[in-house]
Amino acid sequence: MTFKAEYIWIDGTEPTAKLRSKTKIVADGAELPLWGFDGSSTNQADGGSSDRVLKPVFTCPDPIRGGANVLVLCEVLDTDMTPHSSNTRAALVEVAERFAEQESWFGIEQEYTFFKEGRPLGFPIGGFPAPQGGYYCGVGADEVFGRDVVEKHLDLCLEAGLAISGINAEVMPGQWEFQVGPAGPVEVADQLWIARWLLYRVAEDFNIAATLDAKPVKGDWNGAGAHTNFSTKAMREGYDPIITACDALAANAPAHVKHYGAGIEERLTGHHETAPWNEFSYGVSDRGASVRIPWQVEVEKKGYIEDRRPNANADPYLVTRLIVDTCCSALEKAGQV
Ligand code: ADP
Ligand code: MN
Ligand code: MN
Ligand code: MN
């Protein structure tokens, strides 16, 4: 007997990588082998030397095919078995291991937008729907578009065993969010990539496209982000480490923003619940700050912080690596671990 293994990887498309996948038939009981692909078709190689290697790194049940079938997230390697230049996971694994004893947790809020026939789901032909205001967490056929896809996606993520923690309708019609976490940096990022793949895949069955574009509609419409909630063991136990983490993010703001997703200047304008991309701020309950300290965290004097800057199209391997590196080294320096 055999099962189907869907090998999923992140390609080399610039400025925002895309997901790719293909199916391998594997004999029952066999290990998931290394596999290869044509890197010249994915911006990961020249035609003359095109072979790239897929190395399985995370496996879960395939909730689309069911049965014994699996989804297999892979890292891309060169044929000498070193990480390919598009492989951002390998560097995260190193940093995560270096700071493992600080026990970092992440919860990522993935916003996205459904498109059909060239416009966001719920937008009328050649025009705009009623202005924003009633759509966020709305109910009813005049305010909510695509719920059948969203519900199906949630069920698939749960069946796959992902740490999905919730969903909600967003501020713009056709825009939604799901959250993954809390989980460690590598785990949350692997699972987010799989959840993204499942989103595209299930939307395909509804003849709808999902996009992570950070500003899918220009003008007075909210962009799409990937708010990244973060804590270490010390932050979950006290307030000084929370402030240390915020100050460290302040000191490293430009280096973070640079890797928080393509087109970030268009989304972080200072309007639509964002802070300007080139001015760092943090504050309690402040949805106009770069980093928000939730109100309960200030009351309880412990908990987590929310980095509101990452774009919906950000690479979670980059975002979590930068945050762990910046905050955990600052906490270490401050003797707050
Ligand atoms: P918002 O109020 O900004 O919309 P959400 O409820 O959408 O927040 O998302 C918050 C995310 O933060 C969830 O994924 C949740 O699991 C995660 N989270 C909760 N506590 C922590 C923590 N201590 N460290 C990291 N992430 C956390
Ligand atoms: Mn949210
Ligand atoms: Mn949101
Ligand atoms: Mn948020």
Side-chain angles (χ1 to χ4, degrees):
M1 282 293 288
T2 58
F3 63 94
K4 298 170 195 152
E6 190 72 8
Y7 276 53
I8 299 170
W9 74 98
I10 298 149
D11 79 358
T13 304
E14 304 267 4
T16 302
K18 284 158 39 80
L19 283 164
R20 309 272 181 155
S21 76
K22 57 178 186 163
T23 308
K24 188 170 193 61
I25 307 301
V26 183
D28 274 348
E31 256 186 57
L32 292 166
L34 294 177
W35 202 13
F37 69 100
D38 167 16
S40 70
S41 298
T42 62
N43 292 298
Q44 284 164 310
D46 296 325
S49 174
S50 63
D51 285 341
R52 292 293 175 262
V53 176
L54 295 175
K55 178 186 149 200
V57 290
F58 173 76
T59 306
C60 64
D62 180 344
I64 303 241
R65 289 178 169 143
N69 304 306
V70 292
L71 302 178
V72 183
L73 185 68
C74 297
E75 277 190 25
V76 175
L77 308 180
D78 288 325
T79 47
D80 66 359
M81 297 298 138
T82 58
H84 183 260
S85 58
S86 64
N87 177 346
T88 51
R89 185 181 186 277
L92 166 63
V93 169
E94 259 184 58
V95 170
E97 281 171 3
R98 190 171 346 132
F99 294 107
E101 75 286 356
Q102 293 201 36
E103 294 176 32
S104 295
W105 292 359
F106 286 89
I108 301 182
E109 305 168 48
Q110 176 70 66
E111 295 179 342
Y112 61 92
T113 312
F114 286 135
F115 271 77
K116 196 171 168 105
E117 284 153 13
R119 57 185 191 278
L121 204 60
F123 276 53
I125 295 174
F128 292 92
Q132 296 184 158
Y135 305 108
Y136 171 75
C137 297
V139 62
D142 52 340
E143 297 194 334
V144 165
F145 307 93
R147 197 191 295 275
D148 43 359
V149 194
V150 172
E151 288 288 331
K152 183 76 192 159
H153 176 251
L154 175 59
D155 286 340
L156 293 173
C157 287
L158 289 169
E159 283 168 43
L162 307 184
I164 192 159
S165 46
I167 54 171
N168 60 266
E170 269 302 337
V171 174
M172 190 182 90
Q175 204 168 63
W176 292 83
E177 169 181 314
F178 65 85
Q179 303 101 32
V180 178
V186 178
E187 292 74 22
V188 85
D190 284 347
Q191 293 189 25
L192 186 65
W193 278 114
I194 293 282
R196 286 173 172 183
W197 188 88
L198 283 170
L199 177 66
Y200 298 133
R201 176 62 191 81
V202 68
E204 196 184 296
D205 287 348
F206 290 83
N207 206 15
I208 287 173
T211 174
L212 307 187
D213 190 333
K215 191 72 184 180
V217 184
K218 313 297 167 213
D220 206 11
W221 300 92
N222 271 40
H227 296 168
T228 299
N229 300 273
F230 168 70
S231 63
T232 64
K233 186 163 186 289
M235 292 164 72
R236 293 189 291 275
E237 289 170 356
Y239 205 65
D240 288 348
I242 299 246
I243 300 304
T244 300
C246 290
D247 288 340
L249 289 172
N252 293 280
H256 280 240
V257 164
K258 198 173 148 204
H259 295 292
Y260 275 10
I264 200 160
E265 310 83 0
E266 276 184 79
R267 172 176 153 263
L268 299 186
T269 56
H271 305 287
H272 306 110
E273 304 175 66
T274 69
W277 66 276
N278 53 357
E279 288 172 31
F280 184 90
S281 58
Y282 71 87
V284 176
S285 271
D286 189 353
R287 284 187 159 72
S290 316
V291 170
R292 176 176 68 101
I293 300 174
W295 67 271
Q296 318 93 298
V297 173
E298 204 211 17
V299 170
E300 294 171 9
K301 295 283 180 254
K302 61 181 182 179
Y304 65 98
I305 58 175
E306 177 192 42
D307 191 341
R308 300 175 57 80
R309 296 169 295 171
N311 269 356
N313 60 4
D315 174 355
Y317 294 135
L318 286 176
V319 172
T320 59
R321 170 168 66 77
L322 285 162
I323 293 176
V324 169
D325 210 350
T326 296
C327 295
C328 291
S329 48
L331 287 163
E332 202 171 80
K333 239 182 232 153
Q336 294 173 338
V337 294

